[in-house]
Amino acid sequence: MTERVKIFDTTLRDGEQSPGASMNTKEKLRLAVQLEKLGVDIIEAGFPAASEGDFDAVSQIAGKLHNVEVAGLARASTEDIDRAWQAISHAAHPRIHTFLATSDIHMEYKLKMTREEVLAAAAAAVRHARTYTDNVEFSAEDGSRSDRDFLCKVFEAAIEAGATTVNLPDTVGYAVPTEFAEMVRYLRDHVPNLHKAVLSVHCHNDLGLATANTLAAVMEGARQVEVTVNGIGERAGNTSMEEVVMAIHTRGGYLPVTTSLNTEYIHATSRLVSMITGIIIQPNKAIVGANAFAHEAGIHQDGMLKNPMTYEIMRPETIGLTHSSLVLGKHSGRHALRERLKELGYELSDEELKMVFKRFKEIADRKKHVVDEDLEVIVTEGILRTSDIFQLSYLHVTAGTTVLPMASVEMSVNGRSVRGAGYGNGPIDAAFNTIAKLSGTVSELLRFSVSALTGGTDAQGEVTVRLRENGLIALGRGADPDIITASAKAYVNGLNRLEYLKTHPVQATAT
Ligand code: KIV
Ligand code: ZN
């Protein structure tokens, strides 16, 4: 029988370490529910000792999910492990994930510990975690740059102390596939008790090799892969979940494993992560990029018409990319909307549907066809952001060749309605200045970009901003048929994310 490789999703922990990509608790819960539906085996919900906010999010996720394992990250210290356990103890399937660096450079400069001390601390951390649960993972941070024999000793000691999973991270994305595979083989041959634990890998993408390294390790016997949706994560990101899963799915004859994933939810999950984090997916991104299934060249199109397999190695339907036969427009009713949202992976309560339907009608009045991307924006802006501190309720802008650009804004700040007017160099500048004044914020706009959400001149404009305040950086995203409104929404979203970061300071963890 083909062996199964476990999918350990760390979008909510390592993924959230992407610059600017903080998520609030409501967004994390929504994403966690979607990941469970997608069928991942383990969700790393966060790092409870990092902040009260992280603790709270992990604890809520642990209470909500029933079928999936929920992991909480902890450094190899009693306090961190206690905190992680407090956050996840009520989960149906809790896992403590503790880690300690094993490379000489990390031990000498960061930890200031000797090899002997690290060896003892790793075993002690696992032993302590085992007093709470028999599901304990140990990670050797910067494992790929560690001395092999020392790493073997650490893994042996961790397993001896009770670790049920040992994880080899390529923390700085330095490994190359043949070397990484060889390292996994070395561990297999030199850790005498390795058969008592699941061997896992966790790769970063600094050299663009995360997926290749992960698959090379799977070929050598790794049976857990740590991944994020869309490959988001610190610096160049983590191994992309959809790339690994679809490689296994598509090349099943060559790769000797299967996964438990319901691949038809990949597209919806990828869009949800992009909407929530504000990180746009590059068009040529494998599997989930807008062009991943687009065939432009005439020769290719001709071949595709004769037999799709000439140029298509995967069917778009496999990842849930369907062209709905249901075209939504202003005459569509609540039932049709609910059905389409369900197909997209959004199960809404009656109250939520009411809100979404109202906004849907507004958009449908301005646009002939309301497409999936429009619906995703409505759900993200209307449902997931409702707990925001700042909310834009009214915007009126005047601009032109001979008038001073002016903006009138009404917004709510912590539930209190405020209004005012201001001017700027252009309509967007006027809107941003007025919003900044009303919200009492002093952020700096680092980047501003506009694109169209779909084709057509009536497409919604999608704006992303990057804001900085006191060293904190946040992304904001907004969409609307009117690009000035889209800009204002993106700006307000960025300000909300900055507020979240101010109240949820994240302690530095591993990369
Ligand atoms: O990259 C890394 O080393 C990590 C560990 C905590 C697993 O994220
Ligand atoms: Zn990592």
Side-chain angles (χ1 to χ4, degrees):
M1 209 178 72
T2 320
E3 280 186 65
R4 204 159 69 80
V5 63
K6 290 189 188 188
I7 305 295
F8 177 112
D9 184 280
T10 183
T11 311
L12 290 163
R13 200 278 298 170
D14 226 347
E16 207 208 9
Q17 287 177 220
S18 307
S22 58
M23 303 175 229
N24 65 35
T25 302
K26 194 166 180 181
E27 291 167 336
K28 285 183 180 174
L29 273 169
R30 172 74 193 94
L31 180 54
V33 169
Q34 180 70 18
L35 289 169
E36 184 174 49
K37 193 159 152 189
L38 180 66
V40 304
D41 298 279
I42 303 110
I43 292 177
E44 184 162 57
F47 177 29
S51 69
E52 286 298 325
D54 240 43
F55 179 90
D56 188 46
V58 176
S59 171
Q60 290 200 38
I61 291 168
K64 193 160 178 104
L65 307 181
H66 306 294
N67 305 320
V68 69
E69 287 178 38
V70 176
L73 184 70
R75 283 165 296 199
S77 76
T78 311
E79 300 74 34
D80 265 35
I81 292 168
D82 293 346
R83 196 79 181 127
W85 182 247
Q86 282 164 19
I88 60 166
S89 56
H90 52 293
H93 309 285
R95 172 184 291 203
I96 295 177
H97 177 193
T98 184
F99 72 96
L100 189 60
T102 51
S103 64
D104 287 338
I105 186 164
H106 275 233
M107 291 188 291
E108 182 177 347
Y109 294 99
K110 191 182 79 172
L111 300 175
K112 302 194 188 322
M113 285 167 83
T114 62
R115 286 188 178 189
E116 290 66 35
E117 285 166 340
V118 164
L119 189 65
V126 172
R127 254 194 311 276
H128 184 58
R130 277 297 301 244
T131 61
Y132 292 125
T133 171
D134 57 10
N135 189 353
V136 175
E137 171 170 342
F138 173 77
S139 283
E141 191 192 2
D142 207 18
S144 62
R145 292 194 302 166
S146 302
D147 175 84
R148 287 184 185 190
D149 292 322
F150 176 60
L151 183 62
C152 288
K153 278 195 193 140
V154 175
F155 275 176
E156 186 181 348
I159 296 168
E160 179 65 33
T164 41
T165 303
V166 284
N167 181 37
L168 169 65
D170 182 25
T171 302
V172 289
Y174 183 72
V176 293
T178 39
E179 177 197 33
F180 201 57
E182 205 184 291
M183 190 150 190
V184 170
R185 206 176 317 134
Y186 195 85
L187 291 172
R188 250 188 24 212
D189 293 343
H190 294 87
V191 179
N193 53 2
L194 195 60
H195 60 281
K196 293 189 186 161
V198 174
L199 178 59
S200 168
V201 287
H202 172 116
C203 298
H204 280 263
N205 206 28
D206 298 66
L207 294 172
L209 295 171
T211 298
N213 284 334
T214 300
L215 292 175
V218 167
M219 291 300 281
E220 286 302 329
R223 288 296 175 263
Q224 173 178 290
V225 292
E226 303 201 349
V227 293
T228 62
V229 176
N230 300 339
I232 66 168
E234 187 97 25
R235 307 182 310 276
N238 287 59
T239 306
S240 158
M241 181 270 294
E242 59 281 0
E243 291 176 14
V244 170
V245 168
M246 287 312 290
I248 291 172
H249 190 88
T250 309
R251 299 302 312 277
Y254 187 74
L255 293 157
V257 287
T258 57
T259 74
S260 60
L261 230 80
N262 303 313
T263 59
E264 68 277 18
Y265 292 121
I266 286 180
H267 177 68
T269 312
S270 155
R271 293 288 312 165
L272 182 69
V273 167
S274 173
M275 295 304 302
I276 287 179
T277 58
I279 300 177
I280 287 174
I281 305 164
Q282 73 191 64
N284 59 324
K285 166 85 180 63
I287 320 293
V288 291
N291 296 345
F293 292 92
H295 299 271
E296 190 79 12
I299 281 189
H300 291 200
Q301 288 174 350
D302 181 55
M304 288 281 295
L305 289 172
K306 290 175 177 145
N307 179 349
M309 297 300 277
T310 49
Y311 286 100
E312 204 165 64
I313 58 166
M314 302 166 271
R315 299 295 302 150
E317 296 79 27
T318 315
I319 62 153
L321 200 56
T322 51
H323 291 292
S324 175
S325 50
L326 209 65
V327 177
L328 295 178
K330 68 177 179 182
H331 300 298
S332 304
R334 212 175 279 245
H335 181 68
L337 177 66
R338 189 195 279 276
E339 283 310 299
R340 187 62 198 139
L341 286 169
K342 233 193 232 165
E343 280 170 28
L344 291 175
Y346 300 108
E347 306 253 3
L348 303 187
S349 67
D350 289 345
E351 197 49 41
E352 290 172 335
L353 185 71
K354 203 163 135 194
M355 233 148 67
V356 169
F357 189 65
K358 183 166 172 282
R359 180 70 185 139
F360 163 73
K361 284 288 177 186
E362 285 164 15
I363 300 270
D365 271 341
R366 296 159 77 179
K367 229 173 151 259
K368 195 158 173 243
H369 297 311
V370 180
V371 296
D372 295 349
E373 287 84 346
D374 297 318
L375 295 180
E376 284 165 355
V377 168
I378 298 174
V379 174
T380 315
E381 292 186 348
I383 309 283
L384 297 173
R385 293 188 188 162
T386 46
S387 54
D388 284 348
I389 291 179
F390 305 123
Q391 288 188 24
L392 183 70
S393 30
Y394 171 86
L395 172 71
H396 178 84
V397 175
T398 46
T401 48
T402 53
V403 290
L404 180 68
M406 291 284 298
S408 309
V409 172
E410 187 175 331
M411 63 190 288
S412 96
V413 177
N414 265 324
R416 192 172 55 88
S417 180
V418 289
R419 62 173 76 179
Y423 61 88
N425 282 334
I428 293 172
D429 192 41
F432 284 13
N433 288 343
T434 313
I435 291 168
K437 193 167 68 185
L438 292 177
S439 59
T441 54
V442 289
S443 67
E444 182 191 349
L445 179 67
L446 299 178
R447 200 185 66 206
F448 173 85
S449 68
V450 190
S451 57
L453 200 54
T454 55
T457 49
D458 67 351
Q460 295 205 63
E462 184 178 40
V463 175
T464 50
V465 295
R466 193 177 168 86
L467 305 178
R468 178 166 58 198
E469 191 178 333
N470 288 333
L472 298 172
I473 292 189
L475 295 173
R477 184 172 182 169
D480 196 273
D482 170 56
I483 60 158
I484 298 170
T485 306
S487 306
K489 284 181 176 177
Y491 188 60
V492 170
N493 179 234
L495 293 180
N496 278 310
R497 287 176 189 274
L498 276 176
E499 286 309 305
Y500 182 79
L501 287 178
K502 284 182 208 166
T503 50
H504 297 79
V506 175
Q507 223 167 297
T509 57
T511 45

